[in-house]
Amino acid sequence: MRQLVVLSVLLLITGCAGRLSNDGGYVQFHSGEALHPSEKVIIEGRYAYRDGTLANEMTRIVEINGESLPREWGVAPGANKVSLVPGYYEIKILYVHGSGQIDYYTYSTVSAILKKNCTYQIVTKWSSLEKTMFLGLSGRPTIDTQQPDCSVRQPSQEDRMVQI
C-alpha cells in the first residue's frame, strides 16, 4: 500500500510538470517527437569565463513567447539550450555576471525570426565606459550540408501581427 501511495504521488508530480521538461539544461519547446537537427532551430545559452578575465558569465533562456521555461534542478531559472520549430519568437534571456559573487544581472527580450537547420548562440556585449549591455543572437548552420543563411532577421511590425 505504501509503495502505491509513493508511486501515485510521483505520477502526480510528473503529470503536473506540464508539456515542457528541463533535462540537464535542455528544453524541447515544441510538441511531438524530437526533430532532426536539419528541421529545427536550436538556441544556446552560455556558461563560461569572459574571454581574458576571471569573471564568470551565464546566459539562460527563461521565457519564450511569454511562456516560462522549467527550471533546471539546482541552477538559475530557465534552460541552457532550447529546440524550437522555425518561426517568430520573443526570447527572454537572463544574463548573470560574477567574479567571486554575482555583481550584475539583467533580463532582456530579443525578438527574431529563426530558421530551420540553424543554431543561434546568445551573444553579449558590455561597455563599461557607456555602462550598457547588449544581448543578441548569432546564427550558424547546425548541419553544414545545406549551408543555410542563419542570419538573425529582426521582425517587422507586420511579422509580429501575423505570427504571434
Side-chain angles (χ1 to χ4, degrees):
M1 181 66 176
R2 183 174 180 199
Q3 290 174 333
L4 182 60
V5 170
V6 171
L7 181 60
S8 298
V9 169
L10 288 175
L11 288 173
L12 180 64
I13 290 170
T14 57
C16 293
R19 70 174 180 91
L20 301 175
S21 67
N22 192 327
D23 186 18
Y26 173 80
V27 172
Q28 176 180 296
F29 193 80
H30 56 84
S31 17
E33 296 295 316
L35 298 171
H36 187 270
S38 65
E39 295 299 314
K40 65 183 174 182
V41 174
I42 298 171
I43 304 173
E44 296 179 332
R46 180 179 171 176
Y47 182 71
Y49 287 97
R50 189 180 241 329
D51 297 335
T53 72
L54 295 177
N56 212 0
E57 292 183 311
M58 177 176 54
T59 53
R60 300 205 32 106
I61 304 110
V62 294
E63 196 173 278
I64 296 179
N65 291 350
E67 186 173 344
S68 295
L69 296 181
R71 183 184 192 108
E72 181 181 359
W73 184 259
V75 185
N80 191 47
K81 185 184 283 189
V82 177
S83 74
L84 312 138
V85 295
Y88 168 78
Y89 292 98
E90 292 187 7
I91 305 138
K92 186 173 182 180
I93 299 167
L94 166 63
Y95 171 82
V96 180
H97 178 275
S99 183
Q101 64 183 13
I102 294 174
D103 56 8
Y104 180 80
Y105 74 94
T106 187
Y107 290 91
S108 184
T109 300
V110 174
S111 299
I113 296 175
L114 306 177
K115 303 170 193 163
K116 70 179 183 176
N117 192 25
C118 292
T119 297
Y120 295 92
Q121 178 71 49
I122 298 171
V123 293
T124 60
K125 292 181 184 173
W126 167 258
S127 171
S128 55
L129 179 64
E130 297 174 12
K131 296 188 180 187
T132 58
M133 165 62 81
F134 167 80
L135 289 164
L137 300 171
S138 174
R140 68 182 187 280
T142 303
I143 297 177
D144 290 332
T145 56
Q146 296 177 5
Q147 294 296 325
D149 172 17
C150 292
S151 59
V152 177
R153 184 166 84 81
Q154 297 302 313
S156 67
Q157 190 63 28
E158 290 173 6
D159 291 324
R160 292 173 196 243
M161 290 169 54
V162 171
Q163 296 184 0
I164 288 182

